Structures are given as structure tokens and as C-alpha cells.
Amino acid sequence: MCFALKREGNGPMLTTLIPANTMNEFALDVRRGLQKKPQKELPSKYFYDATGSALFEVISQLPEYGLTRAEERLLSRHAKEIVDRLEGPVVVAELGSGTGRKTRFVLEALCGRQPTYYHPIEISPSALAACERELRDIHCISIVGFESEYLNGLLEVAARREEAEQLLVLFLGSTIGNFDGDASIAFLRRLRSILREGDALLLGADLLKPVETLVRAYNDALGVTGAFNRNLLLRINRELGADFDLSQFEHLAIYNAETHSVEMHLRSLKEQEVTIGMAGVTVSLRFGETIWTETSHKYSHAELVRMAKEAGFRAEAQWVDREWPFVDNLWIAQ
Ligand SMILES: C[S@@+](CC[C@H](N)C(=O)[O-])C[C@H]1O[C@@H](n2cnc3c(N)ncnc32)[C@H](O)[C@@H]1O
């Protein structure tokens, strides 16, 4: 199903639905991931049902998770400088907007120029709706959201913009770090191929910092990140007819020094079998065996410079938060 509407004034946000993860795909991804050897995996994009999106919002406010506050400080201080580096009329697309709270600073900074279209692109319908509620009062912005995978949504936005409009793509919150290894460069290259020369990408990236600080950020005292992680099993139970016993899995956050990433896993607390009805599979887990659910890569400045080049961008400028080392990078498509 796909529909598109035009928004005028302060009416409701209009959403185009680009079918992303049909139940079939979800079942296939779960089956493929749980059959992987030697390490079972589940794709992190499935964290974000309504409960997962709500839990992520809480995580972003936890004392241990300094990342969101760092980027909020950067954007609140530098949004005008950022948008001043872009010439002409701008259309804004945001990949995985979440509630879009931090995005307000960028959008308000653009209000000094011309009325602007803002396109949040979200896999989570509840995050997309929250984003609309969060930002609808900004008078110079028309919000047209896409319930879609990142690049399918971006293709739509790119196809709709006017010839003279420059695209500013926001990819905030170090979500790029959820792509492991070479997948991040491959993703950025695909993203670049959708853009025109001169379009811009504002990329938020969490920087390397002491291991204890990093691990605490993904293993908070309140246990919210653990709930966020285990909610994935609850979602699979509900949507795919599985029989995961959540009390038999514990949340694990570990730092992988080789890949410079924090990994989240779910560790089996006993030898057990789990059946995922709609995926047509029964899997066995050993005592202590883990299912790898998320990677959060941490960056060095040198690595980001190399990534920009490899993906076909010029690193135009960067803004760094010293309190919680985090960088917002402005890259221009070459
Ligand atoms: C880590 S959260 C970051 C949210 C927000 N950008 C921030 O900085 O706080 C990632 C967001 O991306 C969305 N997301 C995850 N995978 C996605 C995908 N493949 N396509 C579109 N959205 C996705 C999630 O629903 C979630 O809201």
C-alpha cells in the first residue's frame, strides 16, 4: 500500500507508507538470524515496535546514556552555523528520526530562510507519530513522513524534490554505528548514490571513550536497556507466535576491543529449545549461548575522515561535544 498527500497549514502530518517489513520478511530474518553459526543473531531494526520505541526514548534520558544529550547540546549551539553552510532552498530528510526532539534546532534554524519540507523516514509507526507531535508547532515546516526503510524513503524524497532544492539528510544519534564492519561504508555509498553533488549529510557519531563509560551506557542501573533488548523476544512471541521464556534470557552489554563496538546480546540462562511458529523453525540454545542483537560502533576522527572519502563525500565541518565525546559531521556529496 502506498499513498501520498499534500499538507497545508497546520493539518495532520501526512505519511507515505512504503511497505518495509512484511510479516514474511520479519519471519525470514528471524529464521536466518537464529540459524546463523557459530553466532546467532537478530537484526536490531526489529527492536522498534511501539514498546521498543518508547523504551528507547527512556534510554535517551538515562544518566548513563550521555549520547543523546551530547548531540542535543551540539545542535542547540550550532544549528545556525550548520544550516548557514548550505546554500539555497533546502529539503530536509531524516533517517530514523525517532521523536525528532533534537531535530527541532535544525528546523528552527532553517526558519530564517524559506518554508521547508521535513521528511522523517521511520520504520516505527509510533516513533513517526511521536515525531509529528513533537515538531508540528514549527511554523515554517511542512512535515511529510515516510513509514519506510531508510533508503527506500530517501529515494522517494529525492524523486519529489524540485530541481533547485538541496537535500539535507540527517542521520543522527550515531545510528550509523548499528551497521557493523564494512556494512556502514556500503550503506553510506548507497545513500550517496541517491544524492546529487552538493547535497549534504549531517552524520552524528559517538566517539571512542573509556570502556567502563561505554559499557555502562548500554547496561544502565535501572535495567531499561535490558528491557529494550528483551522486548525483541516479546515482539517475536507476539508477532511470530514464538515461545521465548523471557525469564530465561539475560541482557549482556560487552565491549569488543577489536571492532571498537559495544555489543548487546541476550544470553540463555539454561539449555533450551525455542519454537518460532511463523518462521517454521525450532532452535536449540546451550546454557550461556548468546543471541547478538545490536552493535554500536564507536568512532575515531581519522576513521570518520576516511569514511567520508570512501563514501564519496567531502568532510565540510564538524562539531564536537567535549563533555561526552560525540561529533556531528557535515559532509557534502562530491
Ligand atoms: C537509535 S534510534 C535513534 C533515534 C534518533 N535519530 C536519535 O538520534 O535519538 C534509531 C531509530 O531508527 C529507526 N530505524 C531503525 N532501523 C531502521 C530502518 N532500517 N529504516 C528506518 N528506520 C529505522 C528506529 O525506529 C529508531 O527510531
Side-chain angles (χ1 to χ4, degrees):
M1 180 182 19
C2 181
F3 58 94
L5 299 160
K6 216 168 166 351
R7 176 182 192 245
E8 305 291 347
N10 284 329
M13 174 176 76
L14 301 167
T15 300
T16 298
L17 175 65
I18 303 171
N21 298 291
T22 58
M23 203 50 76
N24 211 12
E25 259 181 78
F26 184 20
L28 282 174
D29 284 346
V30 167
R31 183 164 70 194
R32 205 176 296 130
L34 291 180
Q35 287 182 331
K36 263 204 175 158
K37 287 183 181 144
Q39 175 65 66
K40 292 183 171 58
E41 290 177 19
L42 288 169
S44 61
K45 66 180 180 182
Y46 294 112
F47 278 139
Y48 299 95
D49 63 355
T51 307
S53 291
L55 286 171
F56 180 75
E57 261 315 285
V58 180
I59 290 171
S60 71
Q61 291 167 36
L62 292 171
E64 294 93 336
Y65 195 80
L67 195 156
T68 307
R69 282 184 296 281
E71 192 165 44
E72 205 153 6
R73 279 191 294 274
L74 288 177
L75 296 179
S76 68
R77 286 173 192 160
H78 303 293
K80 172 128 186 9
E81 262 175 79
I82 294 170
V83 305
D84 280 353
R85 287 180 178 263
L86 311 173
E87 292 159 18
V90 172
V91 172
V92 182
E94 178 162 16
L95 309 182
S97 62
T99 64
R101 205 173 56 241
K102 289 172 289 177
T103 310
R104 166 175 295 277
F105 300 109
V106 176
L107 298 178
E108 286 184 343
L110 281 166
C111 279
R113 298 158 73 133
Q114 83 285 336
T116 303
Y117 269 101
Y118 167 59
H119 302 285
I121 298 167
E122 252 300 335
I123 206 169
S124 160
S126 68
L128 199 55
C131 180
E132 196 275 329
R133 287 194 299 274
E134 180 73 35
L135 300 174
R136 66 181 159 203
D137 65 302
I138 307 177
H139 68 277
C140 64
I141 298 295
S142 288
I143 308 177
V144 178
F146 290 85
E147 187 188 319
S148 148
E149 289 270 353
Y150 300 128
L151 297 187
N152 291 340
L154 190 60
L155 275 167
E156 287 290 321
V157 172
R160 285 158 193 230
R161 56 122 153 222
E162 305 284 338
E163 189 56 36
E165 286 173 332
Q166 184 181 13
L167 203 52
L168 167 61
V169 179
L170 309 178
F171 199 22
L172 305 180
S174 205
T175 307
I176 184 67
N178 296 153
F179 291 89
D180 41 290
D182 294 342
S184 62
I185 287 289
F187 177 81
L188 289 168
R189 285 205 179 115
R190 280 167 56 218
L191 189 161
R192 166 64 190 90
S193 73
I194 298 171
L195 304 183
R196 287 201 302 243
E197 201 179 321
D199 285 339
L201 170 65
L202 185 67
L203 182 73
D206 202 19
L207 295 169
L208 289 164
K209 48 184 70 61
V211 171
E212 315 80 66
T213 310
L214 285 175
V215 171
R216 254 199 316 271
Y218 295 84
N219 197 12
D220 59 282
L222 210 52
V224 184
T225 314
F228 175 73
N229 197 5
R230 294 193 308 149
N231 176 58
L232 180 53
L233 302 183
L234 203 61
R235 179 178 188 185
I236 296 172
N237 280 353
R238 190 181 60 246
E239 296 186 20
L240 299 180
D243 59 2
F244 280 103
D245 176 354
L246 267 65
S247 71
Q248 296 307 321
F249 288 88
E250 73 175 0
H251 166 69
L252 201 64
I254 49 174
Y255 186 69
N256 184 329
E258 216 169 286
T259 60
H260 299 165
S261 13
V262 181
E263 293 179 4
M264 296 208 311
H265 291 249
L266 288 161
R267 179 159 56 192
S268 172
L269 295 175
K270 64 173 188 184
E271 190 173 327
Q272 54 183 318
E273 283 200 337
V274 180
T275 298
I276 301 98
M278 286 171 66
V281 69
T282 298
V283 292
S284 308
L285 288 123
R286 298 184 308 277
F287 168 75
E289 185 177 356
T290 71
I291 304 171
W292 183 9
T293 51
E294 192 187 60
T295 297
S296 295
H297 183 74
K298 304 299 162 184
Y299 296 89
S300 67
H301 288 292
E303 185 179 7
L304 288 161
V305 169
R306 177 178 55 74
M307 282 167 68
K309 206 167 163 205
E310 282 181 19
F313 292 92
R314 170 170 52 81
E316 163 83 5
Q318 55 174 218
W319 294 267
V320 179
D321 189 71
R322 303 277 167 212
E323 201 176 314
W324 176 281
F326 186 97
V327 59
D328 269 318
N329 304 274
L330 185 66
W331 294 354
I332 305 295
Q334 287 195 304

